[in-house]
Amino acid sequence: MVDVPYRLVRNLMVAAAVLYCSLLLEAAAGYPLDVHQSFLSELGALDQSTSLWARAMDLTTGVLLLVAVLLSGRAVRGRRELAGLLVSTAAFALGTLFDALSPMDCAPSASDACGANGQSGTELMLHEVTSTIAGLGSIAMGVYAVLALRKAGWGGAWGRVVAVLAAGVAVTQAWLGLQTGSDVITGDDLDAPGILQRVSVLLVCLMLGSLLPALRQAYLDEHDVDRGARLGRSPGGVRAGSRAAAR
């Protein structure tokens, strides 16, 4: 992690985490949609008063994460888990960015007419594709974040907490994708699991904001242990054999 401009990338990811958390926009707007029956992406529908704000937040999130990925590229150095994390973050960023550029015409949960007649054609298909890319990217991010932290020795209690967050992202996003995908494949009416999606989005935001510090600590700890081993030291920093000699 030495080659990464740490503070800049950390700040980019924290800003992206805040902007992606459309739960904040939903609360500020006074919960214009039913949280049980709507997707957060409906806040960006063109018939909603929150549309401009929601799309601007997603667009900026995508741009900030892509910049963070580009700045972090040199840190991979043959580490497959970090390479996977960067690629999946880029996929999530691109999906989120293009999701903002392909909004729905109207919010299906707010209008029966919209649900029946207002969501068809190229725009809807494009929105579904970009949302799927973002969803798959977030699942892969969670998986690779856990793998990277595990590979580096977790990085203490904080690293384990972030690993739990990342695992939660992977599980809830996969659950969400399976539930909505099943409705699409079977041709049933799309039953938005609103609470599940909001929990999942919150986990994504928390992971984005906390992942880089956890990775940095984990890889610094790994570097210190490796260096101690090369110097003939135990992981605690005591030269091998010194304890026996002192007895």
Side-chain angles (χ1 to χ4, degrees), residues 14-136:
V14 169
V18 173
L19 289 169
Y20 187 70
C21 198
S22 47
L23 293 161
L24 299 175
L25 175 61
E26 183 177 48
Y31 296 97
L33 301 172
D34 185 342
V35 297
H36 296 279
Q37 302 296 327
S38 66
F39 288 107
L40 283 168
S41 59
E42 293 181 57
L43 293 172
L46 297 178
D47 68 336
Q48 295 297 303
S49 61
T50 52
S51 178
L52 182 60
W53 287 103
R55 289 184 288 125
M57 289 167 68
D58 279 355
L59 181 66
T60 308
T61 296
V63 171
L64 292 178
L65 287 178
L66 286 174
V67 173
V69 167
L70 291 174
L71 291 173
S72 303
R74 291 185 300 171
V76 173
R77 289 186 174 179
R79 297 181 185 267
R80 288 179 294 178
E81 66 281 357
L82 286 182
L85 183 57
L86 286 183
V87 171
S88 56
T89 301
F92 171 75
L94 287 170
T96 301
L97 189 156
F98 285 109
D99 211 14
L101 299 176
S102 57
M104 294 178 287
D105 292 330
C106 53
S109 67
S111 167
D112 291 338
C114 175
N117 305 312
Q119 300 299 308
S120 60
T122 305
E123 293 79 7
L124 176 61
M125 183 176 67
L126 183 59
H127 178 77
E128 290 178 345
V129 169
T130 56
S131 295
T132 299
I133 292 172
L136 291 174

Side-chain angles (χ1 to χ4, degrees), residues 81 85 139-154 159-160 162-170 207 211 215 219:
E81 66 281 357
L85 183 57
I139 294 171
M141 280 174 59
V143 171
Y144 278 112
V146 173
L147 291 176
L149 287 166
R150 179 179 179 276
K151 183 77 171 179
W154 301 113
R160 287 178 168 81
V162 175
V164 170
L165 286 175
V169 167
M207 183 187 70
L211 180 57
L215 285 173
Y219 279 99

